[in-house]
Amino acid sequence: MNTSPRFTRRSLTVLAALVLLASHSPGVPAQTKPTAAPPTSPRIGLALSGGGARGLAHVGVLKVLDEMRVPIHCVTGTSMGAIVGATFAAGTTPEEMEKVVLAADWDSIFRDRPEREEIAVRRKIDDYKTLLAPEFGVKDGGLALPKGAIAGVSIESFFRELAAPAIGVTDFDKLPIPFRAMATDIETGESVVLDRGSVAQAMRASMSVPGAIAPVEMDGRLLVDGGIANNLPINEARRLCADVVIAVNISTPPLKRQDITSALSVVGQLINFLGKQTVDDQLKSLGNRDVLIAPDLGDISAATFERAADAIRIGERATRAMADSLKRYSLPPEQFAALRATQIAERKVLGTVDEIRVEGLERINPEVLLALVKSKPGEPLSEEKVGADLRRIYGRGGLESITYHLSGDTAPRAMVIEPREKSWGPDYLRFGIGLVSDFSGDNAFNLLVQYRRTWLNRLGGEWLTEAQVGQNTHLFSEFYQPLSEAGRWFVAPYFHVGQQTRGVFVGDDRVADYRVRLGQVGVDGGAVLGTWGQVRLGPVWSHVDATVDTGSPVLPAVKETTAGVRAVLFVDQTDSAFFPRSGFRAGGTAYAARTSFGSALSYERLEGAIQGAHSWGPHTLNYFIGGGTDLGSDMPAYESFTLGGPLRLSAYRFNQFAGREYAFGRLMYYNRVFPLPDLLGRGVYVGGSAEVGRMKDRYDGLPSPGTLWSGSLFLGADTFAGPAYLGVGFGESGTWSMYMLLGAP
């Protein structure tokens, strides 16, 4: 890694945090005209600019250069240009690159989270609390935030796949085609030339947009998007090898006045103008022998990766338009084929290693992370398996980034995993909200605050505290202690105090509010079922104070202590907590209160459910089956099961039906009509549900309503604040309701 002259700091002030992928390209000068062919074949360097999704046009450029038999002897690139350039330099053909690009799940790549089935169970449980982003770190007596909205772990994993033929290469001169990537030192403003290290990490550093994607630390420098300081590295192509430069500039036209409608668009326009100076200086260096290709990408933006095919096609067209300038550099077929045979590399076999180790940690015990690695010394490694290991480690939580490298080609050989702990940790503060309304007087709003202290000891002990205020209030605190570095077994003492209000109904009329105050302590012992789930078992003691708050005293006032044993099962392999498209989850709770434990009465309470999703195209069917019973043990009223409310007999009031035994089923259909930006959520959906339920042994003494049918139509969204629904429910005999839900009610 080396540096070029210092870039002006004015572009790295307030605007740096708002740099957009689209903002790296200026205007385009006149096209160069062909001249007579040189007497000898020159060495040709390829310089590729940044531009986000617009940079996928580079793939089309490379396809046509191959078709025209134009040799490339070295490559330099910035941001998306570095990604495409590094992939090409590593030995991947443009056709192979195109297949990967078109098949990529870009939403997943930029979501910065492993597939949900790969993350730790405790993180999955948090999903259902609909905690808001961002995650605040509690550090040095104040609050800290991540350096970027996206850590870039999924991005770097994708880059390792692209650059797979270069695995083990640390000197970029030793790639099939010599390569350089451009980055910017965010501390000094210097342009940094990346010429060694991990190819995937260099790609990642070159496109780390300040404020959006977290910086990369390399050789003691904090690196961000190279487009800030040098978005079209023509100069580096000449230094590297080039007698002739083919420059590909992915330009973003300045916004028109009518398009400058917000503060962000104003800032984006200013950044475009600030960046124009550096690129103009590079373009001025082009001579008559050089070739400039400037694809006209129209309305393709830096973020429209779904238009990858269009960008590639436009890149092809722009390159063919420059045929007269390029054909003078074409090689005879045999000579070109011989050259490309030396430049195209097969995916490397990682082979075996003698050791796997974790380096670079301060707080986190490396042995705990090693226990998550399924690759073994002496067994053949694969990029797929190693990638799964890294995602599993990252999914445990507490890490800002993770990468790896192989040390040497001869024994003793090691795979070195290099995680980076969250710089804003190890204690974290998060918030969550819940809002639900039926537009008929039943409304609830809750605010949740969660404080988590992590790595309190070498085995990964955590102290979790949650406080919720609103319609339902509670304070919960648990100390979670793994019993080994593998973390399979754990103990978890906890306490819980809170209160909730339940409506009491006679028919469709709410006649009273039943307020239940609870104080509880317990100790769970349990086992972690990999990333699938967990099971808990332990004693629990509770003090209950249940009274009629308003209305008729339909239910008795109770003040008593219960004690018994509780078992909890949680299994979750869905791809999303809300609006899943695949996978299943199941759970259940069993509780047995016994007078022999000091309980005022003996009874049982058993409840369980299973849910799954299946999709085809944009369509999804989601099923849910659940039920509960007291096994005929005369369970007290404050423990009653309830039905009624959004997607739980949608036509009826919240918790309208209460009793000692119930069954419920739901079939839900939804279709994602359009995605949401990553910072806002995953998508907007339209859908409907068919629901059926049955409640027995009601506490109000009224007869069971029998089997109840309901359905709903809704507009939904998977948002940063959790699920959002606006819908209408309808049932038998003209029963209907409207409902709104946001987050966890």
Side-chain angles (χ1 to χ4, degrees):
M1 181 171 71
N2 56 72
T3 62
S4 64
R6 190 180 186 101
F7 179 68
T8 178
R9 296 192 181 204
R10 62 177 178 170
S11 66
L12 296 175
T13 56
V14 177
L15 301 179
L18 298 172
V19 171
L20 305 174
L21 285 167
S23 68
H24 298 319
S25 302
V28 179
Q31 305 295 315
T32 56
K33 297 181 179 181
T35 62
T40 58
S41 297
R43 293 181 63 79
I44 300 175
L46 183 65
L48 305 177
S49 76
R54 297 168 65 90
L56 296 176
H58 295 316
V59 178
V61 173
L62 290 170
K63 287 178 64 180
V64 177
L65 291 177
D66 261 8
E67 292 173 9
M68 298 177 66
R69 303 191 307 278
V70 175
I72 301 298
H73 300 95
C74 63
V75 181
T76 62
T78 299
S79 195
M80 185 57 74
I83 296 163
V84 174
T87 305
F88 182 67
T92 301
T93 68
E95 290 75 18
E96 293 171 335
M97 205 184 311
E98 181 180 30
K99 290 179 182 178
V100 174
V101 165
L102 296 180
D105 182 353
W106 293 100
D107 285 344
S108 177
I109 292 169
F110 286 102
R111 194 174 301 129
D112 200 40
R113 177 170 167 143
E115 295 298 325
R116 194 166 179 273
E117 55 266 30
E118 296 178 322
I119 68 173
V121 173
R122 289 175 63 78
R123 306 291 88 83
K124 290 180 181 180
I125 294 172
D126 274 351
D127 285 346
Y128 296 100
K129 301 171 184 176
T130 60
L131 298 168
L132 303 172
E135 172 189 76
F136 295 89
V138 182
K139 186 176 181 180
D140 301 328
L143 299 180
L145 285 170
K147 296 184 180 74
I150 300 173
V153 173
S154 296
I155 296 171
E156 190 167 333
S157 177
F158 178 63
F159 293 166
R160 284 196 300 271
E161 178 185 349
L162 288 175
I167 291 173
V169 178
T170 57
D171 183 348
F172 297 174
D173 284 337
K174 295 182 179 180
L175 292 169
I177 303 174
F179 169 73
R180 298 291 186 269
M182 306 304 301
T184 303
D185 187 325
I186 193 63
E187 183 179 9
T188 66
E190 291 178 332
S191 178
V192 180
V193 183
L194 302 177
D195 58 6
R196 67 183 185 274
S198 163
V199 174
Q201 196 170 41
M203 297 157 77
R204 162 78 173 79
S206 186
M207 55 79 67
S208 296
V209 181
I213 302 174
V216 175
E217 186 172 338
M218 297 177 67
D219 295 343
R221 310 187 74 155
L222 202 60
L223 304 181
V224 298
D225 197 317
I228 297 173
N230 188 354
N231 194 45
L232 187 58
I234 296 170
N235 56 343
E236 292 304 323
R238 297 197 195 280
R239 292 189 184 102
L240 184 55
C241 82
D243 303 312
V244 171
V245 174
I246 298 175
V248 187
N249 188 23
I250 310 301
S251 66
T252 302
L255 296 174
K256 302 295 184 182
R257 181 172 181 175
Q258 61 268 23
D259 298 322
I260 304 175
T261 58
S262 66
L264 189 61
S265 61
V266 171
V267 172
Q269 185 84 322
L270 290 174
I271 293 173
N272 270 331
F273 292 147
L274 288 172
K276 185 177 187 301
Q277 177 183 348
T278 63
V279 180
D280 280 351
D281 289 342
Q282 295 289 312
L283 292 174
K284 290 176 183 177
S285 71
L286 293 177
N288 289 334
R289 299 176 68 195
D290 303 317
V291 180
L292 175 64
I293 301 173
D296 182 5
L297 291 156
D299 62 349
I300 297 178
S301 74
T304 53
F305 285 92
E306 68 274 10
R307 296 189 63 186
D310 293 337
I312 293 171
R313 186 177 65 254
I314 292 170
E316 294 176 12
R317 186 167 62 238
T319 308
R320 291 194 175 96
M322 300 300 296
D324 290 342
S325 297
L326 293 167
K327 65 183 181 181
R328 55 185 164 162
Y329 300 121
S330 295
L331 295 179
E334 297 81 4
Q335 187 178 348
F336 183 78
L339 174 66
R340 292 295 284 140
T342 67
Q343 295 179 336
I344 297 172
E346 296 182 356
R347 181 179 290 264
K348 290 188 177 181
V349 177
L350 299 184
T352 62
V353 294
D354 304 287
E355 179 189 8
I356 299 175
R357 61 179 186 265
V358 177
E359 296 181 350
L361 296 171
E362 297 180 4
R363 300 182 300 267
I364 297 175
N365 181 358
E367 296 300 320
V368 173
L369 302 189
L370 275 176
L372 300 173
V373 176
K374 295 185 178 181
S375 301
K376 303 297 182 185
E379 297 180 358
L381 300 176
S382 70
E383 183 62 32
E384 293 76 15
K385 193 172 183 178
V386 173
D389 288 333
L390 299 187
R391 292 192 299 273
R392 197 177 304 109
I393 293 173
Y394 182 73
R396 189 192 184 282
L399 298 179
E400 185 171 339
S401 64
I402 186 168
T403 188
Y404 85 101
H405 72 271
L406 302 176
S407 65
D409 296 323
T410 59
R413 190 166 180 250
M415 182 173 79
V416 183
I417 299 173
E418 299 171 305
R420 181 174 298 277
E421 296 161 324
K422 289 181 176 178
S423 57
W424 59 97
D427 303 335
Y428 307 100
L429 185 68
R430 297 186 68 182
F431 299 89
I433 60 173
L435 171 67
V436 62
S437 174
D438 66 357
F439 301 98
S440 300
D442 284 342
N443 307 294
F445 176 78
N446 298 300
L447 173 65
L448 177 70
V449 181
Q450 181 191 84
Y451 180 53
R452 185 188 301 271
R453 300 193 64 191
T454 68
W455 290 100
L456 298 174
N457 52 54
R458 294 286 289 173
L459 296 181
E462 292 188 2
W463 185 10
L464 172 69
T465 300
E466 294 176 344
Q468 179 171 287
V469 296
Q471 183 74 12
N472 298 320
T473 63
H474 75 252
L475 175 66
F476 173 83
S477 190
E478 176 188 75
F479 184 79
Y480 180 91
Q481 179 60 61
L483 299 179
S484 69
E485 290 171 335
R488 178 172 298 178
W489 303 97
F490 65 89
V491 294
Y494 63 90
F495 78 86
H496 175 211
V497 295
Q499 72 173 26
Q500 60 175 322
T501 300
R502 294 186 178 183
V504 180
F505 294 83
V506 175
D508 294 333
D509 299 322
R510 183 168 181 161
V511 298
D513 286 328
Y514 198 52
R515 187 178 299 273
V516 180
R517 298 178 178 88
L518 174 71
Q520 190 175 75
V521 295
V523 180
D524 284 341
V528 176
L529 310 175
T531 59
W532 281 69
Q534 68 175 14
V535 60
R536 291 177 172 232
L537 176 68
V540 57
W541 294 264
S542 305
H543 181 75
V544 181
D545 186 355
T547 59
V548 175
D549 188 51
T550 59
S552 304
V554 178
L555 299 177
V558 175
K559 185 178 291 186
E560 61 191 21
T561 298
T562 63
V565 177
R566 184 188 67 167
V568 180
L569 172 68
F570 174 84
V571 175
D572 191 348
Q573 283 290 286
T574 56
D575 65 341
S576 175
F578 308 103
F579 300 98
R581 289 183 49 78
S582 64
F584 74 96
R585 65 184 176 104
T589 303
Y591 176 64
R594 291 292 182 266
T595 56
S596 57
F597 278 48
S599 180
L601 67 165
S602 294
Y603 65 92
E604 290 81 39
R605 189 181 193 277
L606 179 65
E607 186 174 23
I610 185 170
Q611 181 178 3
H614 300 277
S615 299
W616 67 102
H619 311 283
T620 300
L621 280 179
N622 183 319
Y623 67 86
F624 179 97
I625 302 172
T629 178
D630 69 351
L631 300 176
S633 62
D634 199 23
M635 181 175 67
Y638 54 79
E639 290 270 39
S640 63
F641 303 108
T642 61
L643 282 175
L647 302 175
R648 198 169 167 86
L649 296 181
S650 302
Y652 299 92
R653 307 280 296 276
F654 297 119
N655 301 327
Q656 182 172 337
F657 307 101
R660 295 183 175 90
E661 185 174 316
Y662 85 100
F664 175 74
R666 179 184 67 232
L667 184 65
M668 185 161 59
Y669 163 84
Y670 42 84
N671 181 3
R672 192 173 81 163
V673 291
F674 59 84
L676 288 173
D678 288 334
L679 294 179
L680 297 181
R682 298 186 63 178
V684 175
Y685 302 80
V686 295
S689 67
E691 307 151 24
V692 59
R694 185 177 181 88
M695 182 67 69
K696 295 178 63 177
D697 297 329
R698 295 176 60 166
Y699 286 92
D700 54 19
L702 296 175
S704 170
T707 301
L708 296 166
W709 297 89
S710 185
S712 72
L713 297 174
F714 60 80
L715 177 68
D718 198 352
T719 78
F720 72 98
Y725 291 91
L726 179 63
V728 57
F730 44 88
E732 302 171 271
S733 304
T735 303
W736 71 281
S737 70
M738 293 184 63
Y739 62 86
M740 180 179 67
L741 185 148
L742 174 64

